[in-house]
Amino acid sequence: MTSRLIRGRLLSFEDRPSGPDDTAALFYESDGGLWLQDGVIRARGPFETIAAKAPPGTPVTDHRPHLVMPGLIDTHLHMPQMQVIASWAPALLEWLNTHTFPAETRFADPVHAARIAGALFDELLRHGTTTALAYCSVHSTSAEAFFAEAARRRLCMIGGKVMMDRNAPKRLTDTAENSFDESAALIERWHGIGRLHYAITPRFAITSTPSQLEAAGALKRRYPECYLQTHLSENAAEIALTAKLYPKAADYFAVYEQYGLTGPKALFGHCLHLNERERSAMAETGSVAVFCPTSNLFLGSGVFDMDGLEAAGLRTAIATDIGGGTSYSMLRTLDEGYKVLQLQGQRMDPLTAFYRATLGNARALGLEDRIGTLAVGSDADIAVFDPAATPAMALRHETVGSLADELFLLQTLGDDRSVAAVYVAGDPVDRSPKPGLTASSETVAI
Ligand code: GUN
Ligand code: ZN
């Protein structure tokens, strides 16, 4: 029985804050204690009270004055795009064809897939992210590597093999039939093992024939407990090509509706140019629109209308979208998201921002009883933040007047340097750089 006590400033959300002063939505304990046992949070409260509850001799890790929060959650990223980040292209479709598809072909190789899966989890954990919803490549080997490595680390991870049977290089396509069979085999092998979940993953309408979307719908009917992830309404050229490929569909979302690919466990990346009908259909089906600010800016795709979508009743989430996205950090993602909303006269206050990266994203995944809070009974996935981690942050930290101010500083200036410690299933994670994964002897051609 692993048992440990954590001491620090505890911060977790009980509900969505109504604004920057809504401290009623918070659980905050300035000298708090968390008692972790067998991977879950057994008790929380003032440190002295919790220390008295834990068995005598339970080791204590003192993180004061840092903020002890639930591990951050990323609801959309691509494992095979770790070596695609920072690749220049005019826009989405060119970026996919020039950089992304060639990089993804390498994931047929299980050794490469295993190396990158390890690098992905190292990088996410270095940035305080303990759960992600991930696209693997079209190859089953990539999903095998993702799940095997996540299981080894006892992580709560969600992923799936991409289904794509057209408009991509030959080495990167499957068929409607074998994408069904391979996805089903991966579900049978991994879904529900440890803390793993499967996401049925038709990449987007452009790279799937109608027969393959039919197959994705059949998978969803056969395995209703699984997630579904895809892309929707990201870029003007993508929307036009989709309309050409699916001429009978009323709009982009209608393509997915037609094949039963919607619902509370369906997460749609981007959703930047939705019409009124798509908004209400998404809301009615409980589908989730995922805001990917750094990616939307980097690819010049558009701006996410958070207020408009939420007013229409949509569920929303926030994500990095590595490697269209430009940072693994959910702090950087909140910061860029904040600016995108500012541009539209929409405001994301600091409490709401941190709610989104924790309980909000957990709710979008329907996992709020397991992750996203420091509630008793939750899995003990924890990130410890230092809002004064750099000289510039420390200087600004001297003048913060409230918890909301402090969180805003962490979001605006913070990154991996602000992550002081991470726990997964109750155990501390070694976040030091791994030489074998970072070194490269390849010469760059000029
Ligand atoms: N649409 C289809 N595939 C992708 C992808 O890999 N990244 C982004 N940003 N959009 C997509
Ligand atoms: Zn994506």
Side-chain angles (χ1 to χ4, degrees):
M1 266 197 334
T2 325
S3 195
R4 101 178 54 245
L5 276 163
I6 289 183
R7 186 171 193 174
R9 287 195 295 142
L10 307 184
L11 172 62
S12 158
F13 291 87
E14 311 276 81
D15 209 342
R16 181 174 172 157
S18 57
D21 306 317
D22 185 9
T23 47
L26 302 177
F27 166 76
Y28 180 72
E29 200 65 63
S30 57
D31 183 7
L34 281 180
W35 171 27
L36 317 181
Q37 194 174 41
D38 294 334
V40 299
I41 298 173
R42 288 289 297 269
R44 71 176 192 185
F47 178 74
E48 296 303 343
T49 314
I50 302 305
K53 275 192 187 167
T58 303
V60 180
T61 309
D62 191 346
H63 288 294
R64 289 175 299 167
H66 299 337
L67 282 165
V68 176
M69 293 177 50
L72 305 181
I73 301 168
D74 189 345
T75 52
H76 184 128
L77 63 79
H78 296 256
M79 177 179 84
Q81 295 178 15
M82 291 192 78
Q83 294 180 310
V84 177
I85 294 177
S87 296
W88 186 90
L92 172 68
L93 298 181
E94 296 87 342
W95 175 82
L96 285 172
N97 286 317
T98 316
H99 304 292
T100 309
F101 290 162
E104 294 197 6
T105 59
R106 293 185 66 192
F107 285 77
D109 172 7
V111 175
H112 181 67
R115 173 180 184 237
I116 299 295
L120 176 71
F121 298 134
D122 283 345
E123 207 53 25
L124 291 178
L125 293 166
R126 275 196 339 96
H127 287 84
T129 296
T130 48
T131 291
L133 170 56
Y135 289 67
C136 300
S137 75
V138 72
H139 316 97
S140 281
T141 41
S142 71
E144 282 290 336
F146 174 87
F147 286 121
E149 186 60 20
R152 196 179 69 73
R153 298 178 188 229
R154 297 194 299 143
L155 287 161
C156 175
M157 285 288 159
I158 313 165
K161 168 205 129 57
V162 154
M163 304 166 75
M164 49 198 288
D165 66 347
R166 66 167 164 181
N167 290 323
K170 187 101 201 75
R171 285 196 298 157
L172 216 54
T173 51
D174 51 14
T175 64
E177 205 170 58
N178 71 25
S179 66
F180 180 96
D181 294 343
E182 289 177 14
S183 302
L186 286 163
I187 293 167
E188 300 283 352
R189 190 159 145 76
W190 292 109
H191 183 80
I193 299 295
R195 306 173 67 208
L196 304 176
H197 307 259
Y198 195 84
I200 299 160
T201 309
R203 183 178 206 121
F204 65 161
I206 291 176
T207 47
S208 284
T209 59
S211 318
Q212 186 168 63
L213 292 188
E214 189 76 55
L219 278 169
K220 192 164 177 294
R221 284 192 300 280
R222 186 186 285 188
Y223 301 105
E225 66 282 13
C226 288
Y227 292 88
L228 182 130
Q229 59 180 345
T230 190
H231 297 86
L232 171 66
S233 199
E234 179 174 2
N235 155 293
E238 172 218 19
I239 296 166
L241 181 52
T242 303
K244 217 163 136 188
L245 293 168
Y246 288 91
K248 294 206 182 105
D251 47 48
Y252 199 158
F253 189 64
V255 174
Y256 297 132
E257 279 181 290
Q258 185 187 338
Y259 298 101
L261 304 177
T262 67
K265 296 196 96 169
L267 288 94
F268 294 85
H270 307 288
C271 301
L272 299 178
H273 312 283
L274 300 177
N275 64 33
E276 287 309 314
R277 195 211 70 82
E278 290 175 302
R279 289 174 183 223
S280 39
M282 282 193 76
E284 271 163 32
T285 54
S287 306
V288 180
V290 184
F291 181 21
C292 306
T294 70
S295 168
N296 298 340
L297 291 170
F298 178 73
L299 293 171
S301 303
V303 291
F304 187 85
D305 178 14
M306 179 71 85
D307 284 2
L309 296 184
E310 290 194 337
L314 266 86
R315 297 168 66 217
T316 61
I318 187 162
T320 63
D321 190 25
I322 293 302
T326 52
S327 175
Y328 291 88
S329 169
M330 287 301 293
L331 300 178
R332 305 293 342 109
T333 303
L334 295 178
D335 180 43
E336 296 300 307
Y338 170 82
K339 294 172 193 168
V340 167
L341 300 180
Q342 280 289 97
L343 275 178
Q344 304 171 81
Q346 302 184 12
R347 310 282 175 242
M348 179 164 70
D349 69 80
L351 297 189
T352 302
F354 279 82
Y355 160 82
R356 287 190 185 284
T358 56
L359 177 56
N361 274 355
R363 283 177 170 171
L365 296 169
L367 288 176
E368 65 272 23
D369 61 332
R370 300 267 34 97
I371 57 171
T373 73
L374 299 179
V376 172
S378 266
D379 295 345
D381 288 351
I382 292 161
V384 181
F385 293 98
D386 176 2
T390 67
M393 292 178 84
L395 201 60
R396 174 64 177 88
H397 194 262
E398 290 173 11
T399 64
V400 297
S402 66
L403 182 63
D405 276 1
E406 195 179 19
L407 290 174
F408 197 54
L409 161 60
L410 182 60
Q411 162 188 317
T412 310
L413 295 183
D415 51 32
D416 50 323
R417 293 168 296 176
S418 314
V419 181
V422 173
Y423 294 80
V424 167
D427 289 327
V429 170
D430 171 12
R431 292 164 46 254
S432 54
K434 311 289 183 297
L437 292 171
T438 48
S440 166
S441 56
E442 281 168 35
T443 342
V444 177
I446 299 173

